[in-house]
Amino acid sequence: MKNFIIALVLIGFNALMAQVQFEAKVSKNTLGLNERLRIDFTMNVDGDNFIQPNFEGFRIIAGPSQQVSQSWVNGKSSFEKTYSYFLLPSQKGNLIIKQATIEYNGQIYKTNPIKINVTAAVEQPKDPNDTQVSADDNIYLVADISKTNPYLNEPITVVYKLYFSYSIGISNWRELNKPKYNDFWSQNIDIKQLVAEEGMFKGEKYRYVVLRKTVLYPQKTGKLEIEPLSLDIDVQLPSNRRNIFGQVLMTQGNKRVSAGSKTIAVKALPEAGKPADFSGAVGKFDFKVIPSKTNLKNGESLDLAVIVTGSGNMKLFTLPKPIVPNALEMYDPVHTDKVNTNLSGMSGKTFDNYAIIPQFKGNYPIKSMHFSYFDLGSGSYKTISSPEIIINVLEGPTADEPNVAEATGVTKNKISTSEQFKFIKLKTNLLSMKNDDFFGSNTFYSLLFLPFLMLPLIVLFKKKKEAIDGDVAGNRIKNNNRLAKKYLSEAKKQINNKDPFYVALEKAMHNFLKAKLHIETSEMSKSNIQELLLSRNTNTETVNEFILLTENCELARYALISSSAIEQDFDKAVQIISDLEKQIS
């Protein structure tokens, strides 16, 4: 009888539980990157505290909209409440829509997770009966490239233009994928204000906005690919409806556009006529070697400036080094760049400044120097030579045979008459014949009691070491911080220089990922990094902070950033790398 009652209770409880249904339904399980997804969360009871999932990998473009329906059929009532969303995927791959939750009669109910496969953008067929203006034929993203077959280190420009017809409007846009310039030296040109202009496109008048301007210097020969810029654009489209004044009503739409990948065929510089001292300079240059003075006394110094001016790859070659006699002491140079970058490339001045101090009286030559470059205008190599410079040291000790020293680079000091004869030894180290006994000496007692004096120190040291070894979490934090600072050492050196700092910071973050995840530079897209890190059981917040910091590196190079903000970014990078080192499994 007891078992029968328990069975009845369980059956009644299961029947009660079966009455509550809460499920998620999607319009499709596979869709393209440019397609929308509808998802409905439906319940047959009036549940409370509906909590939506975070829709990671999607962007909500509409919703939530709520619908409630109740009906009576043959004396039985039915109830249904639905929360609907329209989503747009923000990345490709297998995405998971996680569980939504409601509360009913003190119980929590959850939907099942849904797996969605997002593919590349697909062509969407048009409805022949739909006369509404479509964004497909009215908006285009174009990458204008100045030259597709440049020489190595020849500047080219990429200008990204967004064309849109007069029949539609644009309210906002977001970058989905930033262009990648692998094997190029790149420099973005600041655009202070976006201005819509009028131009011809496909034989018709369009409005267009210049979004980006970038100067590129190819650093490798062969076919190089420029990864595309992709945008997610909110557009305003005219509908078939009009208001009471006869004006066309606009509807909100969405369009994703891409400039497409571009291939640049880079030519190698000709080998014929290439000078032996050619260091990679390409462009149009002038070369000068200027001393601050040529007449000076012993102990005085002069500055020797090796200067290259002109237009070309100013930051991508090395300057020749002067050759001076040993009688002139030359220090390492101070390098300075005064270079501007615009759509035509780099131009300005780059120079090395050497400090030289003479050691002896006499006339010393600084040999003629040569600078070679490839002239793009004539398609040939050119060499500029500086004249020989004579440094006249008026006072000071003389060197023996200065002409020989100048020719061979070896200088001999002339010995004065007063220094020809010296005593063999001016000081002696005599030892006393009387020896003190070791037993009973101060040294004896010091060595005797030293071990007893060391015992307290040894005990304290042992306890300190045991405490340090027992602090597992602290040791792990120290090791992680040490690892982070190893990768960020170059960024630390450049913390007072904004542009080099952010270049080194971004490179350090990428090098850390390549070392930990064993990936190549070509695989370091935002979506791939996010997928790989999350698959290694890392924290989602840490991953998002990593991606946000790497994206901020490029933007910060062209914005006004305070020194405190730079230090904060450095500290944040140390913390992120330390956290990822702990989390990556």
Side-chain angles (χ1 to χ4, degrees), residues 73-136:
V73 178
N74 296 327
K76 294 183 179 181
S77 66
S78 64
F79 177 88
E80 185 177 88
K81 180 193 284 188
T82 303
Y83 292 92
S84 299
Y85 295 83
F86 285 92
L87 309 176
L88 195 65
S90 57
Q91 63 187 67
K92 294 188 296 183
N94 293 320
L95 307 180
I96 301 295
I97 296 179
K98 298 181 179 179
Q99 296 172 311
T101 63
I102 60 169
E103 183 179 349
Y104 182 70
N105 287 339
Q107 296 289 329
I108 301 296
Y109 298 90
K110 298 181 180 180
T111 61
N112 293 324
I114 300 178
K115 184 177 181 180
I116 304 296
N117 180 28
V118 181
T119 65
V122 297
E123 183 177 356
Q124 297 176 323
K126 299 180 182 178
D127 185 356
N129 298 319
D130 186 8
T131 59
Q132 178 175 321
V133 174
S134 170
D136 294 340

Side-chain angles (χ1 to χ4, degrees), residues 185-202:
W185 183 95
S186 63
Q187 175 71 60
N188 287 330
I189 306 299
D190 291 337
I191 299 176
K192 296 182 179 179
Q193 185 177 2
L194 297 179
V195 179
E197 302 181 46
E198 185 180 274
M200 298 298 295
F201 183 73
K202 292 189 174 183

